[in-house]
Amino acid sequence: MSTIETRLADLGVTLPDAPAPAANYVPYVQTGNTVYVSGQISMNEDGLILGKLGDNMDTEAGAAAAKTCAIGLLAQVKKACDGDLERLVRVVKLTGFVNSTSDYTDQPKVINGASDFFVEALGEAGRHARSAVSAAALPLGVAVEIEGIFEIK
């Protein structure tokens, strides 16, 4: 039987340590079987992924940035589950914010980078409700920020 960690390894994904909050908030809150994860910004091993969609970043690069947000979300869920990702039941909802120009309209295609990752990594448990919205600016100039709601056991 395949575990979530095995599927991640098959995808070439190693979860980073869950990032600490950058201000006066907590990285996640659990109430009952629901975990609300604070917004995770686009970053990888090289640092922050900066850019504005419709200006200096294309949709494909934005989707790749959104995938890094999803990996950050999953790292926070793992921490909330005391290191046991098998406690994750499903992704319930994502809210994606895309740093974009006022005339850019492909926010859903950008956030697909996160949605597609969750389905690849989790199968049906990765399917979720979602919003994808534009933002005039995001913290530190990052390209994407995504928050999520997850069900755990």
Side-chain angles (χ1 to χ4, degrees):
M1 182 172 149
S2 178
T3 66
I4 295 170
E5 296 277 3
T6 301
R7 288 193 298 275
L8 289 172
D10 290 346
L11 293 171
V13 174
T14 301
L15 292 182
D17 292 334
N24 188 19
Y25 64 92
V26 294
Y28 62 85
V29 171
Q30 180 179 345
T31 180
N33 290 341
T34 305
V35 176
Y36 298 84
V37 180
S38 295
Q40 301 297 297
I41 59 176
S42 53
M43 60 188 298
N44 59 25
E45 60 279 350
D46 297 325
L48 298 175
I49 300 171
L50 307 174
K52 185 174 279 291
L53 281 291
D55 180 17
N56 59 4
M57 181 177 271
D58 65 23
T59 301
E60 185 177 317
K67 178 180 177 180
T68 71
C69 296
I71 291 169
L73 287 165
L74 203 52
Q76 294 292 356
V77 170
K78 182 176 180 177
K79 186 173 182 180
C81 291
D82 300 316
D84 182 7
L85 267 178
E86 295 312 302
R87 291 180 51 202
L88 175 58
V89 175
R90 74 166 302 129
V91 182
V92 177
K93 184 172 192 291
L94 299 179
T95 303
F97 303 92
V98 179
N99 185 353
S100 58
T101 61
S102 62
D103 60 343
Y104 183 81
T105 59
D106 282 336
Q107 290 81 5
K109 290 179 183 175
V110 170
I111 303 305
N112 278 347
S115 296
D116 293 346
F117 168 75
F118 279 122
V119 173
E120 282 182 286
L122 306 173
E124 284 302 308
R127 297 199 182 281
H128 51 271
R130 171 185 107 172
S131 298
V133 298
S134 181
L138 288 174
L140 307 172
V142 297
V144 182
E145 180 174 357
I146 303 175
E147 63 183 26
I149 303 170
F150 300 83
E151 180 185 354
I152 64 169
K153 54 186 171 189

